[in-house]
């Protein structure tokens, strides 16, 4: 990056006009440095509906606290930020951290086919990442983590408020977490030679392990 302050967005995300104006105003007034980083809420276009709906969104103290707890810092002073992991990126930035009123639009789950197309790749990648430090995992743990993820998203993050769409999204997020650990369990059995595995199975394990290592090298560099 050419500047100290960085706004981190993915390729399937877009900055809202209100957020762009909010950031520009802070920069023009010289107030960005009041905080080391800022949390920004994402709204997701999921199966034909925005979750949450930006047209009815109200910025309240309760919402700000939720954003702080659930959203990774997106606008940050890179001089004090540290990447914790290169996959499903996580940043560690010391306090103080603020919350912006604007939003980021996320289009990566706009229909179920798009969601499922990326599901296999990212769960393989996450399993390979977990495999670096985990040497035990079974389907019971995978199931527990999947259920816990569903409960967290549906009840704690409030997806219950969005009717059928919220229920479907929470179920899919729980299933994603289940697959992360079910694939980890499978990788561990492949590594231990437990079962009948084809050359293709072994190649898949090596491929995603190599991607994880390459991603960590790139992040470190």
């Amino acid at each position: 990056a050419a500047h100290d302050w960085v706004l981190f967005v993915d390729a399937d995300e877009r900055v809202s006009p209100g957020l762009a104006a909010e950031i520009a105003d802070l920069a023009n007034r010289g107030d960005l440095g009041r905080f080391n980083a800022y949390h920004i809420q994402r709204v997701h276009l999921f199966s034909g509906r925005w979750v949450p709906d930006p047209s009815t969104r109200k910025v309240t103290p309760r919402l700000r606290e939720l954003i702080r707890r659930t959203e990774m810092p997106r606008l940050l002073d890179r001089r004090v930020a540290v990447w914790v992991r290169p996959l499903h990126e996580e940043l560690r930035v010391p306090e103080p951290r603020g919350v912006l009123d604007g939003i980021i639009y996320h289009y990566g789950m706009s229909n179920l086919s798009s969601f499922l197309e990326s599901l296999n790749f990212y769960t393989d990648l996450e399993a390979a990442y977990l495999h670096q430090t985990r040497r035990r995992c079974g389907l019971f743990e995978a199931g527990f983590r999947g259920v816990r993820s569903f409960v967290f998203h549906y009840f704690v993050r409030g997806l219950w408020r969005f009717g059928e769409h919220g229920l479907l999204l929470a179920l899919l997020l729980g299933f994603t977490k289940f697959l992360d650990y079910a694939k980890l369990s499978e990788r561990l059995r492949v590594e231990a030679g437990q079962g009948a595995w084809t050359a293709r199975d072994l190649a898949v394990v090596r491929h995603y392990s190599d991607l994880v290592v390459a991603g960590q090298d790139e992040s470190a560099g």
Side-chain angles (χ1 to χ4, degrees):
H3 301 281
D4 293 330
W5 278 90
V6 175
L7 177 64
F8 172 59
V9 292
D10 283 333
D12 58 4
E13 297 173 339
R14 299 293 182 270
V15 173
S16 69
L19 177 59
E22 187 178 10
I23 294 172
D25 182 59
L26 285 172
N28 292 334
R29 291 190 282 111
D31 286 342
L32 273 179
R34 290 173 52 207
F35 298 98
N36 289 325
Y38 296 85
H39 300 265
I40 303 170
Q41 186 178 28
R42 293 194 305 167
V43 296
H44 310 274
L45 183 59
F46 174 70
S47 192
R49 179 178 177 180
W50 285 105
V51 179
D53 186 346
S55 67
T56 60
R57 176 178 177 267
K58 295 181 180 180
V59 181
T60 63
R62 183 176 179 180
L63 177 61
R64 284 177 168 272
E65 182 57 32
L66 178 65
I67 294 170
R68 277 185 60 89
R69 287 190 288 108
T70 59
E71 298 283 0
M72 184 183 75
R74 291 302 193 105
L75 178 65
L76 53 104
D77 184 343
R78 67 186 180 94
R79 294 169 295 184
V80 295
V82 177
W83 289 106
V84 179
R85 55 182 293 183
L87 307 169
H88 298 300
E89 297 90 345
E90 293 180 14
L91 280 164
R92 182 177 295 128
V93 187
E95 295 283 3
R97 299 192 303 271
V99 177
L100 296 182
D101 293 341
I103 57 176
I104 292 175
Y105 296 107
H106 179 221
Y107 293 91
M109 303 185 296
S110 60
N111 61 72
L112 291 177
S113 293
S114 296
F115 183 93
L116 293 173
E117 282 175 3
S118 61
L119 177 65
N120 197 45
F121 172 77
Y122 283 110
T123 52
D124 272 323
L125 209 57
E126 180 69 7
Y129 177 83
L130 294 169
H131 192 188
Q132 294 182 115
T133 56
R134 292 290 303 267
R135 287 296 174 263
R136 293 184 63 184
C137 182
L139 286 183
F140 179 81
E141 180 182 352
F144 170 76
R145 289 182 178 272
V147 171
R148 186 175 67 175
S149 177
F150 165 78
V151 170
F152 172 76
H153 286 98
Y154 192 66
F155 294 104
V156 179
R157 296 199 70 171
L159 287 180
W160 59 269
R161 293 182 286 112
F162 302 100
E164 291 182 353
H165 280 74
L167 176 61
L168 178 58
L169 181 54
L171 286 169
L172 288 173
L173 293 173
F175 180 59
T176 299
K177 184 64 69 174
F178 165 76
L179 279 183
D180 288 339
Y181 285 86
K183 288 185 175 183
L184 170 62
S185 175
E186 183 178 79
R187 291 177 63 92
L188 291 169
R189 288 187 286 114
V190 171
E191 182 182 55
Q194 298 173 353
W197 305 103
T198 68
R200 183 172 181 269
D201 300 329
L202 299 175
V204 168
V205 170
R206 287 194 299 269
H207 172 69
Y208 283 96
S209 295
D210 291 344
L211 287 180
V212 167
V213 172
Q216 289 173 326
D217 289 345
E218 183 177 342
S219 177

